[in-house]
Amino acid sequence: MSTLAVYPGSFDPLTNGHVDIIARGARLFDRIVVAILVNAEKHPLFSLPERVDIAREVFKGRANVEVDTFDGLLVDYVERRKAQVVVRGLRAISDFEFEFEMGNMNRKLAPEIEMVYLMTAPEYLFLTASRVKELVAFGASVAELVPANVAKALEAHLGQGGLRTGATESND
Ligand code: ADP
């Protein structure tokens, strides 16, 4: 039986920390779906189609990485896709608390789905999507933190004056 994993998140924007988790997930499982959350409440900087296009471009060479979107409960999406595993990345203790709570809720809702947590590579320990937006808004280079197409898209948003709002989002 082949194993399908789902890696859910906002990816606003995709960072090298996410890319690392996806690449590692793609080695562990037969197939991994990067599932981008349609989250109306969060006022993302990048529209859903932009986030999808960016991720598809980054992973276009990898046959077992798929990019999709989902809305509503994660476990409903995972069941609909007939996936067995949910992958999440862990950075700090604060991630752990949030993931522990969410993982236990998911287990209650759908005990057959296994949550797998991959520890961040040390170089991405302090990398968050909101930090990236903040750095760009203040003119710092993020070339080493995000894929090249993300850096370009961030510059474009900066040119349109839309970045300061995004940078003040507390969640990523
Ligand atoms: P969310 O809004 O659910 O946190 P994100 O798009 O920020 O979604 O992240 C999706 C997943 O990627 C989460 O499991 C998050 O912990 C993980 N992640 C984010 N940044 C990093 C990083 N630098 N290293 C490892 N994992 C990360």
Side-chain angles (χ1 to χ4, degrees):
M1 192 186 81
S2 81
T3 310
L4 175 63
V6 170
Y7 178 47
S10 313
F11 307 109
D12 184 43
L14 187 75
T15 69
N16 288 344
H18 296 132
V19 172
D20 177 58
I21 298 285
I22 296 161
R24 287 158 63 193
R27 283 197 296 271
L28 279 173
F29 306 106
D30 296 300
R31 224 146 45 88
I32 185 163
V33 181
V34 181
I36 307 179
L37 181 62
V38 183
N39 194 341
E41 277 171 89
K42 270 191 168 180
H43 306 297
L45 175 68
F46 288 98
S47 71
L48 193 63
E50 276 181 304
R51 283 179 282 153
V52 168
D53 285 351
I54 283 172
R56 288 210 172 125
E57 196 184 326
V58 169
F59 294 103
K60 65 173 181 273
R62 295 187 89 115
N64 68 336
V65 177
E66 179 192 329
V67 179
D68 194 12
T69 63
F70 80 104
D71 205 357
L73 271 184
L74 173 64
V75 292
D76 289 343
Y77 174 76
V78 174
E79 281 174 350
R80 201 165 62 242
R81 292 299 314 257
K82 298 190 180 0
Q84 298 86 352
V85 171
V86 171
V87 171
R88 296 286 290 174
L90 285 181
R91 283 158 299 188
I93 307 275
S94 51
D95 272 352
F96 176 82
E97 284 184 9
F98 176 79
E99 296 296 338
F100 190 60
E101 189 192 310
M102 198 172 81
N104 277 308
M105 181 55 73
N106 287 340
R107 185 193 299 275
K108 245 195 178 78
L109 295 169
E112 69 286 358
I113 298 168
E114 196 59 62
M115 309 282 304
V116 171
Y117 302 93
L118 297 181
M119 198 82 77
T120 184
E123 60 269 39
Y124 306 130
L125 192 55
F126 301 105
L127 180 52
T128 71
S130 31
R131 190 67 67 232
V132 163
K133 286 180 276 195
E134 207 169 73
L135 286 172
V136 173
F138 291 110
S141 167
V142 292
E144 287 179 8
L145 306 178
V146 296
N149 63 347
V150 173
K152 225 167 115 188
L154 281 164
E155 290 294 327
H157 272 282
L158 186 63
Q160 291 156 15
L163 207 58
R164 280 181 195 277
T165 330
T168 57
E169 292 279 310
S170 59
N171 263 324
D172 60 326

